Every structure is written in structure tokens, then in C-alpha cells.
Amino acid sequence: MNQIFFAILFSLVLIISGCSKSEDVEEEIIEEPEIEVPEPIDPAKLVTINTGAVVGTFYNFWSTRPMINQTRFNSSGFRTGEVESVKDYVQSYNLVRMLGGRTDDLNEYYQGVDASGNIITDFSGLLTSMRNFRLTGLKPRIVLDNVPWEMSLPKVVDTYGNSKPPTDYNLWRQYINAFLNTLVNEFGMAEVKTWRFRVATEPNYTPDHWRGTKEDYFKHYDITVDEVLKVIPDAIIGPGNMLTEGSATYSTELIDHCVTGTNYATGQIGTKMSFFCISYYEKIDQNTVKLPDDIGPYRNSLDSYSQFKDIPLDIQEFGILRDENGKRGVSLNDATEFGASWYATIAEMAFKYRINEIYEWGQEVEGGNLPQGKRNVSKMFQMMEGGNRLQAVHNLTGYAGVIPVIKNNTIYLLVYNHNTSRNSTSSKTVYPKLEGGLISGGTKWTMNEWTVDKNNSIMMHELYKDLRTAGISEITNGRIYGNRISDRFETGWENVLNTNMAKYENLSKLSKTATDVIVEKKDGSVILKVDLEPHSVKLIELKPQ
């Protein structure tokens, strides 16, 4: 019964939350409300957390951003503007298609061969880009993907440029060797050997990224790795990110080849693989969270081989590719509370499947660098980063859960509810029950709470309302609520965004929905009552008094 009394007390938080989401709003003093609380609590809604049982670390998995065009770093405005604005959570860039073979004809460092059959190169453009990149102070990662056009004639232009393997691997070896030695000579072996090197992009996506067979890629990987290791003996190197869509031509066979296959370059068994990675994109119109199906076979395959069980498993392309109407646009994320609750769901799965990193295309909205809903969720992650994840036992249904963490004697609870339909009305009430460990040693805690849902930390709904009121032409078959406003609205949206920027900045801030609420232990545990919208993420912080 005492636990139920505490649950009633905690319900005060939910009343306060609607009044404290803006710093400009004066917090009301509210009498203790009369709240209906089930007695006993439905076991299906209870999450039991042992604060003395550590199951792992809340590690940082969100700090690498892919970049298709590294020449952007040559602009001081880009470096001091966009790059500086995201340094709070972006620590490295994965630089894609650096070797040429691009549809925009950038990075044409290969200049043919001389009379003796030796390659001719001009890496001055590479050095300019990399020197300017290094001015950011961030760590680069290098993707050795598209082959230069002239190395795989006749020229065939696929979706992302040249997807053909080289016709002469002697020239390819020379090119990789010269490319790497250029980097080592400029930046030093001690530095370059700390960079990651990935061989190709989605090599099981034929012909868009690889116009060759499975065995053609195994050969390409083996030879490329062999040449990289000649220059950098302890290089961090791995294969391209595997497509996980239905059009993928193969999957875990590459892992098998790197363990039991005959190496095309050395004739020995196996190939070095420092990490493994996949692509993972959600599609709202499919009403799924398909990460377990996508990552599971790869996790199981890596775990089956002792030498690869503990190497990093990454998602190096990631996002929500289509909206509920099947529209893609340029957006690679959903910018509303839907994207936010999906991201929290993915975080839980990342820890479950030991996913080391998830590369982010970006967590801001086009036009103003305003945070998407998922950016506010990653701000919650940052508060928990480095803490110890705790054991949580529950029978919650659907995509709902609690990720509990202890960090510096503070308890954090990331509580989320996600539904695969944007129009879902399936709200949820969850009762985290904390016991043992830190709870055993205290009696009172100060509680703070932050919330992302349709009414908190989201600016997209207000922006869409303002755009429609202003009469901005709407592209009815364009993607809705993506991170790029131009996917849905015609020219003129920029004026509305800029005119109301102060309002959108305020709406997009991570909303603190409860401040310094006192909670007490009853009968050896603390039970909280957390009400969640259909797409909702809450971070609860408990500090002992």
C-alpha cells in the first residue's frame, strides 16, 4: 500500500510537466491531485530494476557521421559553421568515395600509366581536403570504394558512379599503395594507423554499388586488404557495409570467407577483418522495427567464430528511408516524435546485439540546424553516457521499455514507448520499480525529468501549421515530416522558418518536464508511475539526498 501512495505522489510530475516545458513559463504550485492508481499494479506494466546488478556500459554509439564529399571541408564556412555546430556529439567522419569513379568527377587522382606500366597520380587535391579536414580536430575514417573510371573500362555509370572492379589488380595495388603512402607521408604512421579503412560500400547491392559477383568482391577485399597491410601492417580494416534489404545478393557468406576461405591474395586461409558493418534503414509504411531480423544473422555468424566474436559490429548507414505513404525524398530521418521514440527503441536493441557504433547522417532539420526529435533523444543518451546499465526485468508488450543506468551515484531511467504507425493512439503506463544497490542505502531522492513527445521538444508540427497558414505550396506526394522541409514544401518555406526562428528554437529545445521533485523509498523500493504518449521518450534522473 505504501508503494501505491508513492505512485500517487509521483503522478504529480505528470501534472507539472505540462507547465514547465518552457523556461519562460512560471512553474505552478499544485495541490496534491487525486489520481486513480491500480491496486495492485498490473504485472504487465511493471519493470523491476536491480540497482546493484550491472549488465554493461552505456557506451557512445552515435558519434560518427558519413560524408560523401570530403572537399566540403575546404570551405572555412563549412568547418566553422556546420561542423562546429555538431561537435557536441560528432567525433569523427566516415569519408566516402575518396578514390574517384564518382558521377561528379571529384577525386580524380589517378592519371593513367607511364611507358613502363607504372601508375601516374596527382594527390594534391587529396592533401588539400585532408589538411583542411584535420583543421577540425576530428578523426577521419576512409572508405576505399569506387574504383577510378579508367581502371575498369569500358565505362558504365551506375547509381553511385563506378561500381565495377578493376580490370588489372596490379594497377589497383599500385593505386592503393600510393594513396596510403601519401597519407602516411603527410600525417605520419602513428596517426594514420589509428584511422579506420573500409573496403567498398554495400558490396552485396548489385549493380548499384557492386557490378560483380560475390566471389569478385571476396577477391577485391582480399587483395585490397593485402596491399593496405603492406603499407600499414596493423591497419584497422574491414569490409563494406552489407545491404540488409531484400535486394541483397548475399549476406553472412563474407564472414565465412574471412575465416575459412582461401585468400585470393596470399593463398592462405582467411582474411583480416578488424570490424564488420551493415546498412539499416526503416520504412514507416512497412510498420516494422526490423533491426533484429537485419542484424541477428550477422551477430550470430560473428559469434560463431572465436576470432571475430568481439570485433566491432557497426551500422554504417542508418535512418528512416520512407514515410507512411512510401515516399522517400532526400530525407534520411523522421524529424518528429516518431523518429525520437524509434531511436530510443533502436538504442535498446543496440545494447542487446552489441552494436558498437551507429553512423548518423545528421540529427538536425534543414535550414536552421534545429534539433530533430531524435537529436533530443541523443542529448538524453549523452547524460547517461559512460554509466553502468542495470538489469531490468519486465513483460512489457510492443516497443516499450526502460534502460536504467547508474552514473556518478545518480540513477537515470530512459523510458520509451514506440508504435510503428504514426497515427497510433496506443499510449502506455509503465511502473519502474527500483530496488537493491543504491536504493538500499538511501531514503530520499531528488527527481528531474525530460520529455520528447508530440507536445515536448518537437518543432515540426508548429512549422507545418505555419507553412500551411502562410499558403506555402505543399507537395502532396512529397515525403512528410522528414528532416528536409523541401521534401514537402515548395519555395517560400525558408521565409516562414526564418521569420519564426525564435519560436522554433524554443519548441525544439529538450523540454524539462519536472524539476527537483522529492521522492521517497517505501518498503525497500521506489516505484514510479510514468505515462507515455504513443511516441514518447522520457529521461528520469534520481539523485540521492
Side-chain angles (χ1 to χ4, degrees):
M1 180 65 74
N2 289 333
Q3 293 175 346
I4 300 303
F5 287 156
F6 174 75
I8 295 174
L9 174 63
F10 179 74
S11 299
L12 176 60
V13 172
L14 303 176
I15 303 297
I16 294 174
S17 66
C19 305
S20 59
K21 72 180 209 176
S22 169
E23 294 180 359
D24 297 329
V25 179
E26 184 176 348
E27 185 174 302
E28 295 182 28
I29 299 175
I30 303 176
E31 300 279 333
E32 181 177 335
E34 293 184 7
I35 302 292
E36 291 285 337
V37 178
E39 186 178 358
I41 295 172
D42 183 349
K45 299 178 180 180
L46 190 68
V47 180
T48 303
I49 298 161
N50 182 351
T51 63
V54 173
V55 297
T57 302
F58 196 100
Y59 54 83
N60 183 327
F61 59 79
W62 56 85
S63 290
T64 297
R65 176 171 290 190
M67 176 64 69
I68 293 174
N69 181 9
Q70 82 278 1
T71 61
R72 296 183 71 188
F73 294 98
N74 294 338
S75 165
S76 60
F78 178 72
R79 294 194 307 270
T80 60
E82 183 171 325
V83 175
E84 283 295 323
S85 69
V86 299
K87 268 191 174 181
D88 178 54
Y89 73 100
V90 177
Q91 298 175 358
S92 57
Y93 281 82
N94 198 46
L95 306 178
V96 182
R97 297 201 279 278
M98 293 191 66
L99 300 177
R102 299 168 60 110
T103 56
D104 55 16
D105 292 326
L106 292 173
N107 304 343
E108 294 293 328
Y109 311 131
Y110 175 66
Q111 307 290 304
V113 297
D114 63 18
S116 300
N118 297 315
I119 65 168
I120 304 169
T121 59
D122 179 1
F123 287 114
S124 56
L126 169 68
L127 291 174
T128 297
S129 295
M130 293 306 296
R131 286 166 184 156
N132 284 314
F133 176 85
R134 295 295 287 161
L135 292 176
T136 66
L138 299 173
K139 183 76 71 174
R141 297 179 177 187
I142 308 296
V143 181
L144 307 170
D145 45 4
N146 289 16
V147 175
W149 294 111
E150 297 301 316
M151 278 194 189
S152 51
L153 296 174
K155 182 176 181 178
V156 177
V157 181
D158 283 311
T159 305
Y160 304 102
N162 183 24
S163 62
K164 295 173 66 178
T167 53
D168 184 342
Y169 269 100
N170 175 55
L171 296 182
W172 175 251
R173 279 183 175 275
Q174 289 186 55
Y175 188 52
I176 292 298
N177 189 288
F179 177 85
L180 293 174
N181 272 302
T182 298
L183 295 176
V184 169
N185 291 339
E186 177 69 20
F187 302 106
M189 179 65 78
E191 173 60 30
V192 176
K193 74 177 184 179
T194 68
W195 302 355
R196 278 194 183 194
F197 294 90
R198 189 182 86 195
V199 182
T201 296
E202 295 182 339
N204 61 340
Y205 187 16
T206 303
D208 296 63
H209 272 303
W210 184 252
R211 187 174 282 274
T213 66
K214 173 178 64 178
E215 293 297 330
D216 287 337
Y217 178 70
F218 294 174
K219 175 182 177 180
H220 184 75
Y221 180 68
D222 291 351
I223 291 174
T224 306
V225 170
D226 185 61
E227 195 61 38
V228 169
L229 295 178
K230 287 180 180 179
V231 181
I232 309 172
D234 49 355
I236 305 169
I237 191 163
N241 47 314
M242 303 297 283
L243 182 76
T244 54
E245 304 298 325
S247 55
T249 54
Y250 62 94
S251 58
T252 59
E253 295 94 323
L254 176 57
I255 300 172
D256 299 330
H257 169 75
C258 289
V259 178
T260 63
T262 300
N263 188 299
Y264 282 90
T266 67
Q268 303 299 310
I269 298 300
T271 311
K272 178 172 182 175
M273 189 166 67
S274 307
F275 61 87
F276 193 85
C277 53
I278 69 166
S279 296
Y280 168 61
Y281 287 107
E282 205 70 76
K283 301 178 180 70
I284 301 177
D285 57 309
Q286 293 182 348
N287 293 311
T288 59
V289 177
K290 64 186 185 71
L291 181 57
D293 291 336
D294 284 358
I295 199 76
Y298 293 103
R299 178 76 275 164
N300 292 337
S301 179
L302 290 170
D303 285 351
S304 71
Y305 296 113
S306 60
Q307 64 266 55
F308 290 148
K309 181 177 182 179
D310 295 322
I311 66 171
L313 172 59
D314 299 340
I315 301 173
Q316 294 193 4
E317 286 190 44
F318 172 79
I320 297 179
L321 202 60
R322 297 197 311 235
D323 69 8
E324 55 266 48
N325 301 312
K327 304 300 180 181
R328 175 171 177 173
V330 182
S331 298
L332 290 172
N333 281 301
D334 181 273
T336 71
E337 67 279 2
F338 182 97
S341 59
W342 172 78
Y343 195 35
T345 304
I346 296 302
E348 179 101 62
M349 294 177 180
F351 295 124
K352 177 179 179 180
Y353 290 98
R354 309 195 323 273
I355 298 169
N356 192 63
E357 291 190 64
I358 298 177
Y359 290 13
E360 282 282 359
W361 289 104
Q363 298 187 352
E364 291 73 40
V365 176
E366 177 187 26
N369 212 37
L370 297 170
Q372 302 172 29
K374 67 184 298 189
R375 172 68 190 114
N376 283 320
V377 174
S378 69
K379 289 179 181 178
M380 295 175 173
F381 294 166
Q382 287 176 286
M383 295 171 68
M384 305 168 76
E385 181 181 353
N388 290 322
R389 289 183 292 116
L390 305 173
Q391 181 186 78
V393 179
H394 64 81
N395 290 308
L396 299 177
T397 58
Y399 299 110
V402 180
I403 304 177
V405 164
I406 286 185
K407 178 181 177 181
N408 298 330
N409 218 35
T410 298
I411 299 172
Y412 292 97
L413 305 176
L414 187 82
V415 192
Y416 64 90
N417 181 34
H418 176 69
N419 290 275
T420 58
S421 168
R422 190 188 303 279
N423 296 325
S424 173
T425 58
S426 297
S427 57
K428 195 177 291 285
T429 298
V430 176
Y431 295 88
K433 178 182 180 182
L434 297 98
E435 56 189 17
L438 192 59
I439 295 297
S440 299
T443 57
K444 289 186 179 182
W445 286 263
T446 300
M447 192 203 76
N448 295 295
E449 177 195 79
W450 295 264
T451 300
V452 181
D453 61 21
K454 66 180 180 180
N455 298 312
N456 294 280
S457 314
I458 300 292
M459 47 75 67
M460 292 299 287
H461 301 299
E462 185 71 11
L463 171 62
Y464 269 45
K465 184 179 74 173
D466 290 345
L467 290 169
R468 288 163 176 159
T469 299
I472 304 301
S473 296
E474 191 163 353
I475 307 168
T476 54
N477 65 340
R479 176 170 180 165
I480 192 165
Y481 294 126
N483 57 290
R484 299 186 67 86
I485 306 165
S486 56
D487 276 345
R488 187 69 183 185
F489 290 91
E490 301 280 8
T491 301
W493 64 263
E494 302 98 325
N495 295 331
V496 175
L497 178 70
N498 292 329
T499 298
N500 297 284
M501 184 60 74
K503 176 174 68 171
Y504 303 139
E505 287 176 344
N506 188 55
L507 288 171
S508 64
K509 291 178 182 177
L510 179 58
S511 297
K512 192 173 188 181
T513 46
T515 302
D516 294 339
V517 175
I518 302 300
V519 297
E520 297 186 26
K521 179 173 64 177
K522 300 291 184 182
D523 297 333
S525 66
V526 170
I527 299 181
L528 309 179
K529 177 178 183 288
V530 186
D531 291 328
L532 300 163
E533 294 288 334
H535 303 101
S536 179
V537 186
K538 289 179 179 286
L539 179 63
I540 297 169
E541 175 191 73
L542 294 170
K543 291 186 175 182
Q545 285 201 322

